[in-house]
Amino acid sequence: TWGDRVLGVAAVFIPISVALSTFGAANGSCFTGGRLTFVAAREGHLPQVLSYVHLKKFTPLPSLLVSTFLAALMVLLGDIFALIDFFSFTAWMFYGSTMAALLVLRYTMKDVERPYKVPIILPISVLCVSIYLVIAPIINDPRIEFLYAFIFVISGLVFYVPFVVMKKSLPYTDTVTKFIQLVLWCAPSKYESEIIGD
């Protein structure tokens, strides 16, 4: 409406700009999403095979495929608007937790050298915004799905404690890893042994 009234004939550029912006954001998500999985696996928080890279293209192929599969599964099996609601709810829970951790560490470990430091008002502001964006949807439209999203996030501890803290592994993990290496033609990255300590 604003484009029609103010821009006249040029209002056609508004939806084109929105579409280009959407494709740009999707492109950025494709590049970062799989690489987050790659780094988490490299740090030992996910199965090691997800930290492998393609032998010729040097891309984290296993982690990109897993991220793509999970995203497609969520979109195909659910309502896209509910997915957006619960993703933003969960994301802001993590943003708030990160800012709270930053504030706690800033005051409990004052003498630790930091590579960079932001003014304290920024993490406080982000923490306040994240608290609002987590609590407001619950108050405005209380749904049981918010509890499910919270339980889903907390359930990560069920996997974190035995597989990351206690370093347990499932049987046949090596066999599956070798199979994936052969099928996807991938191998450990050169940084893996330095980080994991093999």
Side-chain angles (χ1 to χ4, degrees), residues 87-100 130 134 153-154:
F87 172 76
S88 62
F89 171 79
T90 307
W92 281 104
M93 264 189 353
F94 279 109
Y95 299 153
S97 301
T98 303
M99 293 305 113
S130 64
V134 167
V153 169
I154 297 301

Side-chain angles (χ1 to χ4, degrees), residues 74-96:
M74 285 188 244
V75 169
L76 292 174
L77 296 180
D79 174 28
I80 188 69
F81 297 108
L83 186 63
I84 291 168
D85 287 344
F86 298 122
F87 172 76
S88 62
F89 171 79
T90 307
W92 281 104
M93 264 189 353
F94 279 109
Y95 299 153

Side-chain angles (χ1 to χ4, degrees), residues 127-166:
L127 179 61
C128 291
V129 168
S130 64
I131 289 170
Y132 172 76
L133 290 174
V134 167
I135 293 175
I138 296 171
I139 293 172
N140 186 36
D141 183 18
R143 292 184 280 175
I144 193 71
E145 287 88 352
F146 289 118
L147 178 63
Y148 294 156
F150 178 73
I151 290 171
F152 179 75
V153 169
I154 297 301
S155 69
L157 292 174
V158 173
F159 297 100
Y160 183 80
V161 171
F163 295 118
V164 176
V165 175
M166 300 170 68

